[in-house]
Amino acid sequence: MTRMRAAIVGTGDVARLHAEAIAARDDAEVALAVDLDADRAAAFAAKYGIPRSATSLPDGHLDVVHLCTPPAGHVAQAEDAFARGAHVVVEKPPALTLHDVDRMVAAGEAAGRHLAVVFQQRTGTATAHVKRLLDDGHLGRPLLARCDTFWFRDDTYFAAPWRGTWANEGGGTTLGHGIHQLDLLAHLLGEVDEVHGQAWRLARDIETEDVSTAVLRFQSGVVATAMTSAVSPRQVSSIRIDTELATIELEHLYGHGHANWRITPRPGADAPSSWAFPAAERPSGHDAYIDAVYPALAAGTALPDVASAPARSMEIVAALYASSERSAAVALREVRESGELRGPMSAQVRDERRS
Ligand SMILES: NC(=O)c1ccc[n+]([C@@H]2O[C@H](COP(=O)([O-])OP(=O)(O)OC[C@H]3O[C@@H](n4cnc5c(N)ncnc54)[C@H](O)[C@@H]3O)[C@@H](O)[C@H]2O)c1
């Protein structure tokens, strides 16, 4: 079997999850580690047994380029990788603007290569089980939902040069953190029609928001609230979906297995056996994501649904920011169609800091 040759570009915090996931596969190897910081790239290569490191992509054949760089660089790096004939696996958020996501998708299509955006919360056997129950109508019609990301990121975290500004990060905690849970909610419940949201700055010395609040209306009629925070000492990520027949709850931090989920029947009813989680368990994570995506990259077949709709959760975030700017609800249709809303994101951030 010829092993796919991958490069990891950006060898900072998240890159190790990519290196470990590829190392666990028989059909692929990381052939190259790239970072602007030569010493960091070399140390990363040494740690993960990667034969070569560099400060930019050298000439030579690569099957997959993993972009683990700050989001401002993703569009140019993806276009470069596609021009070299490689598939691209890119960390969230895929870019700073929806226009740039369009460019990345177009470049992939023109090259006949895949663009896979990493939203690893969609993976794992629990999500697949709950999605199947919802899609097949076993839980009745979904009615309302709650989607919360309460994380804690201090000033040191935001001191990284690419964080906390519209120009370098494209958004605040909603785009950087809440997007995972929002993406999972939309993966389970489908397209969002409208967002009415507010961006808040409650504690951190940043230009973007450290908290956001929103009401989402889904095409299916589901109504949801979403709170995202970077200032919450007890950290938790959670989703609650109330359907006609059950309450689905997920409580975790960064990844989830079956024990993080609960499906409760309505009062007086028993849970049917079909609701039970399968015996075989795979937690969510980068490894599960790469295991789902790599066979499609190798075979040139369609990407699985854990990597579909690369712009969906970014559109929700863009609508939230536009809504905060306008103090009014914003339709996702407008975000999809408006050149203005596909451009640089910004929000009127309500500053409630007190000295
Ligand atoms: N999916 C997840 O759970 C998850 C978790 C953390 C971060 N992320 C995302 O991963 C990306 C990187 O985040 P991080 O926390 O690893 O950042 P980081 O700052 O720790 O690492 C980024 C690395 O990229 C390098 N770099 C910057 N520009 C480069 C370029 N042009 N060429 C080569 N190397 C370059 C930097 O030197 C640095 O080593 C971001 O988009 C972030 O949102 C995703």
Side-chain angles (χ1 to χ4, degrees):
M1 184 200 336
T2 321
R3 281 147 66 95
M4 287 198 289
R5 286 166 53 82
I8 294 181
V9 181
T11 56
D13 284 345
V14 84
R16 99 183 147 75
L17 299 173
H18 293 248
E20 287 167 359
I22 298 166
R25 293 190 62 80
D26 292 334
D27 63 351
E29 63 188 354
V30 184
L32 178 68
V34 176
D35 201 290
L36 288 181
D37 182 329
D39 292 342
R40 192 176 299 164
F44 186 87
K47 182 167 181 187
Y48 293 102
I50 299 166
R52 202 168 158 202
S53 68
T55 53
S56 64
L57 279 181
D59 288 339
H61 175 72
L62 289 167
D63 295 293
V64 193
V65 172
H66 289 243
L67 300 178
C68 299
T69 46
H74 289 173
V75 62
Q77 290 156 1
E79 286 176 333
D80 178 45
F82 286 135
R84 294 162 182 266
H87 297 291
V88 171
V89 175
V90 59
E91 270 298 342
K92 51 55 67 178
L96 296 188
T97 72
L98 287 161
H99 175 66
D100 282 350
V101 182
D102 294 342
R103 274 178 55 187
M104 293 162 81
V105 170
E109 283 172 0
R113 299 283 124 190
H114 282 309
L115 173 73
V117 182
V118 181
F119 285 114
Q120 79 276 12
Q121 298 301 335
R122 293 187 202 177
T123 64
T125 41
T127 300
H129 176 67
V130 169
K131 184 163 167 52
R132 201 163 33 243
L133 290 178
L134 285 166
D135 289 351
D136 293 350
H138 290 294
L139 303 176
R141 191 163 76 86
L143 301 171
L144 70 150
R146 221 176 68 186
C147 176
D148 295 327
T149 302
F150 294 119
W151 289 5
F152 189 85
R153 296 292 183 272
D154 61 13
D155 288 330
T156 320
Y157 172 88
F158 285 109
W162 62 274
R163 294 207 174 102
T165 64
W166 294 104
N168 293 324
E169 197 174 6
T173 190
T174 319
L175 185 69
H177 308 141
I179 195 167
H180 281 297
Q181 229 45 31
L182 289 165
D183 185 81
L184 175 54
L185 186 73
H187 180 64
L188 293 172
L189 293 179
E191 298 303 319
V192 171
D193 257 358
E194 183 184 85
V195 178
H196 196 164
Q198 298 85 28
W200 307 91
R201 192 179 307 111
L202 302 188
R204 300 288 174 260
D205 185 19
I206 54 176
E207 186 186 294
T208 53
E209 85 287 0
D210 55 20
V211 166
S212 70
T213 50
V215 174
L216 284 63
R217 196 167 51 73
F218 284 76
Q219 251 169 36
S220 62
V222 173
V223 175
T225 64
M227 288 188 78
T228 301
S229 158
V231 301
S232 298
R234 187 177 88 75
Q235 302 188 90
V236 65
S237 316
S238 63
I239 281 178
R240 172 184 172 126
I241 300 170
D242 290 327
T243 71
E244 288 172 317
L245 302 180
T247 292
I248 304 161
E249 289 165 283
L250 164 65
E251 189 165 308
H252 69 122
L253 187 50
Y254 301 133
H256 49 80
H258 294 184
N260 298 104
W261 293 79
R262 187 165 57 167
I263 307 178
T264 309
R266 60 183 173 180
D270 292 325
S273 57
S274 62
W275 291 7
F277 285 91
E281 176 177 6
R282 174 112 198 234
S284 69
H286 279 72
D287 53 348
Y289 181 85
I290 283 166
D291 283 350
V293 161
Y294 258 57
L297 302 186
T301 50
L303 288 173
D305 69 354
V306 294
S308 65
R312 183 167 52 205
S313 43
M314 239 182 106
E315 289 173 346
I316 296 170
V317 176
L320 190 157
Y321 288 152
S323 170
S324 187
E325 192 80 39
R326 295 178 189 176
S327 296
V330 169
L332 267 282
R333 184 176 24 83
E334 188 187 344
V335 174
R336 288 187 194 108
E337 291 168 4
S338 149
E340 183 200 340
L341 295 185
R342 296 191 81 71
M345 294 199 268
S346 66
Q348 190 195 322
V349 180
R350 289 141 171 88
D351 197 333
E352 297 291 335
R353 286 174 299 170
R354 305 283 185 271
S355 54

